Amino acid sequence: MSNDGAQILVVAHRFGAAERTPIEVALPPGRYEVSDLYSHREIVVKLTEELVAVELNEPFSAAALLLTQIE
């Protein structure tokens, strides 16, 4: 999280697990949007005011999301 809380970097990775279980990260109060997304594979992102959930579709994959607080 940035010092002012305006941006959050979320890094998710999946090792060799057979099932696609969403990786959920609780968010601090506020509204956020995905401003940047880094992944070389297909992923699913669900963003609510309480959490961000990342589903990595393939084993040994990863993603980094930059969330920016919106007014």
Side-chain angles (χ1 to χ4, degrees):
M1 181 181 303
S2 62
N3 289 337
D4 63 359
Q7 292 186 314
I8 300 171
L9 178 64
V10 177
V11 178
H13 49 87
R14 178 178 167 197
F15 295 105
E19 18 181 296
R20 296 184 330 192
T21 303
I23 300 162
E24 296 181 345
V25 177
L27 297 175
R31 293 179 50 218
Y32 293 86
E33 66 182 2
V34 178
S35 54
D36 281 310
L37 172 65
Y38 307 95
S39 179
H40 69 284
R41 302 200 179 172
E42 184 179 335
I43 67 168
V44 176
V45 177
K46 295 179 183 173
L47 182 62
T48 69
E49 289 189 17
E50 292 85 28
L51 62 89
V52 59
V54 180
E55 188 174 310
L56 302 168
N57 294 328
E58 298 178 36
F60 302 104
S61 56
L65 296 84
L66 182 63
L67 305 179
T68 303
Q69 191 171 33
I70 53 179
E71 306 302 322

